[in-house]
Amino acid sequence: MKVTEKAAKQVLVKSNLPASDYVANPYSGCTHGCRYCYASFMKRFTGNNEDWGAFINVKSYDNNKLPKKLNGKTVLLSSVTDPYNPYEMKFRKSREILELLSGTDADVEILSKSDLMVKDIDLLKKMPRLKVGISLSTLDDGFRRYMEPCAPSVKRRLNALRLLHAEGISTYLFISPIFPYITDIPQLAEAVSGTVDKICFENLNLRGAAKKEILKYIGEKYPQYSASYDEIYNKGNISYWKQLEADIDRLSEKYDIPFVNFFYHSGIKKGSKNNA
């Protein structure tokens, strides 16, 4: 892993994402090695020659000034990297940004595949407008290990949600990416019942080299779904996602917590009837 410290102009940048006004990416690059990752396009901006997943840039800011009007605005850590990658333990860049935001009226969200944010519970408990989300697409750690070879285990992520929730921190599960016919949404919902305040959903978005690799893997390991993946990812058939959206709405009634959909990357749709 190549680790480089690089200067950056500003802490927050305006976001085009449907649920955040600003994003903070304290690192560029990532260590998880997710085979489906579509963020490799960031290499166009980082100047790295290494493969995506083989480098991480640690940002140092020219100044730590934040936008003046953050009241009612949502700030997300992070959009194209994991704010709690293992190098956070050394460089503490995410904590540095959270300390800046703790003195504002911003709605702050942390989204990570890691359980390392529990090391910052002392700070997180002081931020009443904070939400912490953990991404997970399966309870099968073998499947997780193949798709996300360097990311924390399923058990560690579930334990982090339980611990954060027990400390009074608002938590959510981000079921992402959803692998059609493989991600068991009712099973995941049951696993976090009572430990999250909402569940969000995002479909598997395949681009570039990742698309070829994932479709090859499905053909070899899940041949019964190969034709369906071809329909979805080569022919653009979205009927699976429409049916799943209806199923999710029904499931939300069982658990009586908000369910929020972020399906359809071309023209993202904001959420089910229980959007919150």
Side-chain angles (χ1 to χ4, degrees), residues 73-117:
K73 301 295 185 182
T74 298
V75 177
L76 173 66
L77 275 74
S78 299
S79 59
V80 289
T81 189
D82 195 309
Y84 279 96
N85 68 79
Y87 290 95
E88 170 65 12
M89 298 303 294
K90 176 181 179 180
F91 293 102
R92 310 300 279 159
K93 293 298 180 178
S94 291
R95 184 178 177 101
E96 179 183 314
I97 292 173
L98 290 170
E99 287 173 339
L100 287 173
L101 290 168
S102 66
T104 74
D105 292 323
D107 295 307
V108 180
E109 291 198 16
I110 302 170
L111 181 59
S112 175
K113 284 184 169 70
S114 176
D115 58 339
L116 291 180
M117 77 279 292

Side-chain angles (χ1 to χ4, degrees), residues 136 158 161-162 173 187-196 199 257:
L136 194 59
L158 293 177
L161 281 173
R162 295 188 188 103
L173 176 66
Q187 185 185 55
L188 284 161
E190 185 64 32
V192 299
S193 179
T195 64
V196 296
I199 300 178
I257 61 172

Side-chain angles (χ1 to χ4, degrees), residues 12 16 29 32 48 60 71 79 86 97 102 151 162-163 166 183 216 243 266 268 271-272:
L12 303 185
N16 291 321
H32 294 330
N48 289 85
S60 296
N71 185 23
S79 59
I97 292 173
S102 66
R162 295 188 188 103
L163 180 57
T183 297
K216 181 176 183 290
Q243 180 59 54
S266 56
I268 293 178
S272 69

Side-chain angles (χ1 to χ4, degrees), residues 3-271:
V3 181
T4 307
E5 295 188 61
K6 289 192 174 183
K9 292 182 179 180
Q10 54 195 22
V11 177
L12 303 185
V13 296
K14 288 188 176 181
S15 169
N16 291 321
L17 296 173
S20 60
D21 300 293
Y22 293 93
V23 295
N25 288 294
Y27 304 91
S28 57
C30 191
T31 63
H32 294 330
C34 301
R35 298 181 188 276
Y36 53 77
C37 184
Y38 57 82
S40 59
F41 72 90
M42 286 299 296
K43 282 183 63 177
R44 298 201 302 266
F45 309 104
T46 66
N48 289 85
N49 295 319
E50 299 81 12
D51 291 339
W52 184 255
F55 71 89
I56 192 158
N57 299 322
V58 183
K59 295 183 182 179
S60 296
Y61 299 99
D62 292 342
N63 64 70
N64 286 336
K65 289 184 179 180
L66 299 177
K68 292 181 179 180
K69 296 181 180 180
L70 286 176
N71 185 23
K73 301 295 185 182
T74 298
V75 177
L76 173 66
L77 275 74
S78 299
S79 59
V80 289
T81 189
D82 195 309
Y84 279 96
N85 68 79
Y87 290 95
E88 170 65 12
M89 298 303 294
K90 176 181 179 180
F91 293 102
R92 310 300 279 159
K93 293 298 180 178
S94 291
R95 184 178 177 101
E96 179 183 314
I97 292 173
L98 290 170
E99 287 173 339
L100 287 173
L101 290 168
S102 66
T104 74
D105 292 323
D107 295 307
V108 180
E109 291 198 16
I110 302 170
L111 181 59
S112 175
K113 284 184 169 70
S114 176
D115 58 339
L116 291 180
M117 77 279 292
V118 300
K119 304 288 187 182
D120 286 338
I121 278 182
D122 63 316
L123 173 60
L124 303 183
K125 289 174 67 173
K126 298 175 183 177
M127 301 177 67
R129 302 174 71 88
L130 174 77
K131 296 180 177 64
V132 176
I134 288 186
S135 298
L136 194 59
S137 63
T138 181
L139 294 180
D140 179 350
D141 212 44
F143 183 79
R144 188 279 312 163
R145 197 176 298 113
Y146 176 81
M147 289 295 173
E148 305 165 354
C150 300
S153 68
V154 170
K155 182 178 180 180
R156 284 174 56 184
R157 294 187 224 182
L158 293 177
N159 284 342
L161 281 173
R162 295 188 188 103
L163 180 57
L164 292 162
H165 191 77
E167 292 289 341
I169 296 166
S170 179
T171 56
Y172 66 95
L173 176 66
F174 193 40
I175 301 181
S176 171
I178 297 172
F179 287 83
Y181 306 101
I182 297 173
T183 297
D184 190 326
I185 289 174
Q187 185 185 55
L188 284 161
E190 185 64 32
V192 299
S193 179
T195 64
V196 296
D197 299 290
K198 68 178 178 180
I199 300 178
C200 302
F201 306 85
E202 182 183 45
N203 55 319
L204 174 65
N205 179 33
L206 292 182
R207 299 176 182 171
K211 178 178 177 179
K212 182 178 180 180
E213 180 177 354
I214 297 300
L215 293 182
K216 181 176 183 290
Y217 173 82
I218 295 298
E220 292 173 351
K221 301 295 184 180
Y222 298 89
Q224 67 272 36
Y225 304 139
S226 186
S228 296
Y229 273 69
D230 181 61
E231 280 289 322
I232 295 169
Y233 292 105
N234 290 326
K235 298 178 181 177
N237 188 335
I238 64 170
S239 59
Y240 172 84
W241 302 115
K242 288 184 176 180
Q243 180 59 54
L244 185 60
E245 190 172 32
D247 293 342
I248 285 170
D249 279 341
R250 286 192 292 271
L251 187 64
S252 70
E253 296 173 1
K254 174 180 177 180
Y255 289 98
D256 194 30
I257 61 172
F259 278 29
V260 185
N261 296 342
F262 296 106
F263 287 176
Y264 318 125
H265 277 258
S266 56
I268 293 178
K269 182 173 181 178
K270 272 192 176 182

